[in-house]
Amino acid sequence: MNQSVRSLFGAVSIAALLAVGGAHAAQLNLQNGGDVTSLDPQRLSGDWENRVAGDIFEGLVTEDAQAQPIPGMAESWTISDDGLTYTFKLKDNVKWSDGEPVKASDFVFAFRRLMDPKEAAQYAYLQYPIKNAEAINTGKMADMAQLGVTAPDAKTVVITLENPTPFFLGALTHYTAYPLPEHVVKAKGNEWVQIGNIVTNGPYVPTEWVPGSHVQTAKNPNWYDANSLKIDGTRFFTLEDQAAALRRYRAGEFDILTSFPADQYKWLQENAPGQAHVTPFAGLYYYVLNSTKPPLDNANVRKALSMAVVREVIGPQILGTGELPAYSWVPEGIANYQGGPAYVAWKDMPQNEKTAEAKKLLEGEGYNSSNPLKLQLRYNTDDNHRRLAVAIAAMWKPLGVEVELINAETKVHYADLREGDFAVGRAGWLADYDDPTNFLDLLKTGIEMNYGQWSNPDYDKLLTQAQSMQDMTARAGVLKQAEQIALDDTAAIPIYYYATHNVVSPKIAGFEDNVKDIHRTRWLTKSE
């Protein structure tokens, strides 16, 4: 695993990399939270992995400091009048870190691999707007050549869509749209991502990867704008203990924290003014309900649990960082959703009436003090998740609900959710692109991220109908109908809309708060 820098870069001059580890190197030390499971962009699922992937790979389109789409590997693009065909022209000087050119065929190869059912890429569905992508990924079409991604020449990528898709450029910034080095993947197979083999095309390259500890990167001298980079490399530390992370930040070991104990927010405001960045962004914190097994296959039980959650106290009191209560599945302010999201019908009831109705619903299903509803609530290791789980268990207690709390490290927790080994499970979703479908698709039948496996044919039908609609106001109306179905049936429990919890050292410049909470190293500067 700990290969030398020389072995990683092969023929690239070691002199170009001497800044890393040198006396004047600008090394960024970042607390990254969960453990990175892979450096393969088609094997990722979390924001902690996205931070690494977005530094070492780059798509046709990438993000600026505000996380808005800008040209990446592509210097320009055109969109046909019917909105179905996107033609991208690659920059002249784009190369892989081994010096080989990034070719249009590398994108074709990557998208075909993403949609190959044998690869079982969890996030393949994010690129279903591409023509025949869903049919190929679900095994209904075998001819990979029918996928709507072609390379008429080495510098041109043509992507054809099923329907006009207003958010498609945003979707192309996601790691599912990154190219792969075909020449390396074919030569090394699954070992292509190991240090010593991996070749990337982003501003940085990984030089060390120690699972459970860190990923270290260095400048990629073959990246087209390498001279603009002010940070020589980043060490992404695996550390889920927020209290320990804050102690290490205060000791000067970390430059950026991606989370902190919410009960320390006031201390940070008073003792480190301006360093805690708590701002709204496009994300939803929610509890998944396993609707395939009793008792949560019962909609009345699910509704009772949701109604009893006192959302208004969570942001200001339990977390202390002001997160807003969520009564919709799609966060407020998402683009292409005229009029805003749908809401649960009981949103504006006084809480005492909500709790009384919840208790009545459970009693109607046979649950009471002599026959309590017993549930396991799973969450991934994190001070804030634990604090909230304890609070919600207390909110459910007056209903006669007995809760067993179970925590696990992030990758184990999400593996349990994917396998259906849970009753109630903590989850969160951060927008991959600015459109309501990015959230609504989470509840669609057959989507791997639909952990609770809630399924409703009318809901699925409405999402499918919306895919082909070009009138954005009418499309929003159809999507809102779908959202209302999910809320009325309590497909899951929305709890609060996310706020960022970053802590940024005064030594760091260029860190811009944005609605996607994406901050690529290429935009940052570190002073001593």
Side-chain angles (χ1 to χ4, degrees), residues 284 328-332 334 337 341-343 435-437 439-440 483 497:
L284 178 71
S328 64
W329 186 248
V330 178
E332 298 170 358
I334 293 294
Y337 216 21
Y343 296 98
D435 190 84
T437 57
F439 289 86
L440 296 171
E483 183 178 18
Y497 306 123

Side-chain angles (χ1 to χ4, degrees), residues 3 22 210 236 317 401 415 474 488:
Q3 298 290 326
V210 182
F236 297 88
Q317 297 179 35
V401 180
D488 290 347

Side-chain angles (χ1 to χ4, degrees), residues 80-376:
S80 62
D81 291 341
D82 61 7
L84 295 178
T85 304
Y86 288 63
T87 303
F88 297 87
K89 292 294 183 181
L90 299 187
K91 291 180 169 74
D92 287 335
N93 57 338
V94 289
K95 298 178 182 179
W96 293 102
S97 54
D98 62 357
E100 289 294 312
V102 175
K103 298 179 290 188
S105 58
D106 289 321
F107 286 91
V108 176
F109 172 76
F111 277 111
R112 288 183 178 183
R113 181 176 182 263
L114 178 72
M115 293 304 161
D116 188 341
K118 296 192 296 294
E119 296 293 332
Q122 295 177 35
Y123 267 6
Y125 75 90
L126 286 182
Q127 302 300 339
Y128 278 3
I130 297 174
K131 188 171 182 63
N132 295 324
E134 183 173 8
I136 291 170
N137 190 236
T138 55
K140 297 174 183 175
M141 180 182 289
D143 184 5
M144 195 65 76
Q146 297 302 309
L147 183 67
V149 184
T150 59
D153 58 61
K155 291 290 184 181
T156 307
V157 180
V158 179
I159 301 180
T160 306
L161 307 185
E162 291 279 359
N163 302 288
T165 305
F167 56 84
F168 187 62
L169 286 176
L172 287 181
T173 67
H174 193 260
Y175 46 77
T176 49
Y178 292 163
L180 297 179
E182 182 176 9
H183 62 292
V184 177
V185 177
K186 286 188 172 179
K188 301 293 185 179
N190 290 335
E191 299 302 308
W192 80 273
V193 290
Q194 299 303 316
I195 300 299
N197 294 337
I198 189 168
V199 170
T200 69
N201 72 319
Y204 296 89
V205 292
T207 58
E208 190 174 52
W209 173 26
V210 182
S213 176
H214 65 270
V215 175
Q216 175 71 52
T217 66
K219 285 183 182 179
N220 175 9
N222 280 315
W223 186 58
Y224 58 85
D225 199 20
N227 290 336
S228 71
L229 300 176
K230 302 299 191 295
I231 300 290
D232 294 298
T234 299
R235 180 160 290 203
F236 297 88
F237 287 87
T238 299
L239 182 59
E240 299 184 54
D241 184 333
Q242 294 176 337
L246 183 55
R247 287 193 298 271
R248 292 177 66 176
Y249 174 83
R250 293 177 62 187
E253 295 180 44
F254 290 146
D255 301 306
I256 295 176
L257 303 183
T258 58
S259 59
F260 63 85
D263 60 359
Q264 295 299 302
Y265 184 42
K266 185 176 181 181
W267 184 93
L268 283 163
Q269 288 176 304
E270 294 174 351
N271 295 277
Q275 295 177 46
H277 292 239
V278 178
T279 58
F281 75 110
L284 178 71
Y285 190 107
Y286 63 101
Y287 277 0
V288 181
L289 304 172
N290 192 335
S291 62
T292 67
K293 302 175 184 177
L296 297 177
D297 58 344
N298 184 317
N300 284 334
V301 173
R302 299 196 300 267
K303 182 179 180 180
L305 294 175
S306 186
M307 293 185 78
V309 175
V310 188
R311 292 162 174 81
E312 284 70 20
V313 304
I314 290 171
Q317 297 179 35
I318 296 169
L319 297 178
T321 39
E323 286 78 1
L324 296 175
Y327 289 99
S328 64
W329 186 248
V330 178
E332 298 170 358
I334 293 294
N336 307 321
Y337 216 21
Q338 290 84 342
Y343 296 98
V344 294
W346 40 266
K347 171 179 179 286
D348 296 321
M349 287 174 61
Q351 187 58 51
N352 63 330
E353 293 181 19
K354 293 177 188 174
T355 302
E357 176 65 19
K359 189 171 184 180
K360 184 178 178 181
L361 285 169
L362 286 187
E363 288 174 346
E365 300 302 327
Y367 297 105
N368 49 47
S369 56
S370 59
N371 181 38
L373 174 64
K374 297 182 179 181
L375 295 172
Q376 288 184 338

